[in-house]
Amino acid sequence: MGAQLRVYKRRIRSVTATKKITKAMEMIAAARIVKAQRAVAASTPYADELTRAVSAVAQGANNKHPLTTEVDNPRRAAVLLVTSDRGLAGGYSANAIKAADRLSERLRAEGKEVVPFVVGRKGVAYYAFRNRDVEQSWTGFTDSPTYADAKRVADPLIEAVTRDTAEGGVDELHIVFTEFISMLTQAPVDRRMLPLSLAASDETEQPAGPRALFEFEPSAEGVLDALLPRYVESRIYNALLQSAASEHAARRRAMKSATDNAEELIKSLSRLANAARQADITQEISEIVGGASALADATAGSD
């Protein structure tokens, strides 16, 4: 029984060390959530206002712009998937990947070829393991993205949209990311960024009443050429920030669950160790009593 007690003690030490690690990771994630929330709150109004500005310019322009004009028969669609670089965040990356797969299936059912772009090592590993081609990928900044990172992601996407499909371009641009709703709720969503849906923007974001008249200098197309890249960059930046906040929240929740499970396992192992110790003591007492009784019987026989 002594060997069994040593096994229990060794397991308790191992689980205790794991509990310290998960508790530290939980506290780190909790601290980073606050910073990520502030970044999301600061970037969302800018992204929303820029969307309204692009919509207003596009509606006030007399000519059609390629980035706001629906293609009659779209053939290729780019899908930007945002996952994490690190694990230990529960189902955060897996849920985003599932949402991207559902979107890809829907686009293929509409007769469109899907061109994937991936952010995060988890998404890159998922596509590599399944031998799926990825147009371009980015890693190393998912837990703390900057605007420079968003611009680096947006540049090839904008170029793909402006290029003809015969030359490897795309007709549509979609993004899949995890929306940060609250500390307890994060949901993977898919949004179409381009072509910009002017009707939807007009119904949901533009105020009621008469519309303002615009004069463009040097031209409406020039203004759109300048605004639309900023629109894509701001939307991708906001998506990266929301995904980062969601990742930290998911990791905090996963690490708290791991810490709680470690505590329960330590209690269970402690009970088993106590039982093994008690069994050892009982056995030793029984052996002492038995030995004393045998000695007494031997002494009485000799007399």
Side-chain angles (χ1 to χ4, degrees):
M1 294 299 292
Q4 188 67 30
L5 181 60
R6 286 194 295 272
V7 170
Y8 287 138
K9 287 183 176 180
R10 186 164 58 248
R11 291 188 63 188
I12 289 173
R13 288 195 297 269
S14 176
V15 175
T16 301
T18 302
K19 174 189 169 185
K20 291 180 180 178
I21 295 173
T22 56
K23 185 64 177 179
M25 294 184 67
E26 176 190 348
M27 296 175 65
I28 292 172
R32 289 179 175 175
I33 290 174
V34 177
K35 181 179 178 181
Q37 279 182 296
R38 291 173 180 169
V40 171
S43 70
T44 300
Y46 173 79
D48 291 342
E49 288 299 329
L50 190 55
T51 301
R52 294 190 184 99
V54 173
S55 301
V57 172
Q59 289 170 347
N62 295 324
N63 57 337
K64 297 288 186 179
H65 192 276
L67 300 186
T68 59
T69 304
E70 296 281 352
V71 179
D72 292 335
N73 294 308
R75 298 188 309 170
R76 305 184 82 223
V79 175
L80 174 63
L81 169 62
V82 181
T83 62
S84 66
D85 286 323
R86 298 186 296 131
L88 301 177
Y92 164 76
S93 292
N95 293 335
I97 291 171
K98 290 177 183 178
D101 286 344
R102 289 192 296 268
L103 173 62
S104 298
E105 291 176 2
R106 188 169 71 247
L107 293 173
R108 291 191 185 98
E110 297 173 357
K112 303 171 185 175
E113 178 188 354
V114 177
V115 182
F117 294 79
V118 182
V119 173
R121 291 189 177 93
K122 291 298 179 180
V124 172
Y126 174 84
Y127 278 83
F129 181 76
R130 287 158 180 78
N131 294 320
R132 298 182 185 178
D133 293 331
V134 174
E135 187 72 14
Q136 196 165 343
S137 62
W138 303 267
T139 60
F141 55 82
T142 59
D143 59 344
S144 183
T146 64
Y147 194 87
D149 297 323
K151 190 178 187 306
R152 186 153 53 94
V153 175
D155 287 344
L157 292 170
I158 296 172
E159 182 184 356
V161 173
T162 55
R163 200 166 54 236
D164 189 81
T165 54
E167 300 175 355
V170 297
D171 299 314
E172 296 179 357
L173 173 57
H174 301 258
I175 183 170
V176 179
F177 65 98
T178 305
E179 184 179 20
F180 183 84
I181 301 173
S182 67
M183 293 286 288
L184 299 177
T185 307
Q186 302 88 39
V189 295
D190 63 87
R191 304 275 171 79
R192 193 184 78 167
M193 288 195 293
L194 293 175
L196 183 64
S197 179
L198 300 181
S201 299
D202 183 54
E203 292 173 1
T204 59
E205 298 181 358
Q206 298 297 331
R211 296 177 182 173
L213 298 176
F214 293 90
E215 292 185 2
F216 303 104
E217 187 66 33
S219 65
E221 185 175 353
V223 174
L224 285 174
D225 286 340
L227 281 180
L228 279 166
R230 305 290 85 76
Y231 158 75
V232 175
E233 292 168 8
S234 66
R235 279 298 170 190
I236 291 178
Y237 182 50
N238 184 257
L240 291 176
L241 291 176
Q242 295 219 38
S243 296
S246 299
E247 177 185 348
H248 294 317
R251 182 168 292 112
R252 175 183 176 274
R253 191 165 58 250
M255 291 300 98
K256 185 180 187 307
S257 177
T259 302
D260 294 342
N261 291 338
E263 290 178 352
E264 290 297 323
L265 184 56
I266 290 172
K267 290 179 182 178
S268 177
L269 291 172
S270 297
R271 285 193 293 267
L272 293 174
N274 291 335
R277 185 183 299 108
Q278 187 64 41
D280 282 348
I281 294 172
T282 302
Q283 182 177 355
E284 290 176 1
I285 292 175
S286 298
E287 291 173 353
I288 292 172
V289 172
S293 177
L295 182 60
D297 292 342
T299 301
S302 63
D303 290 343

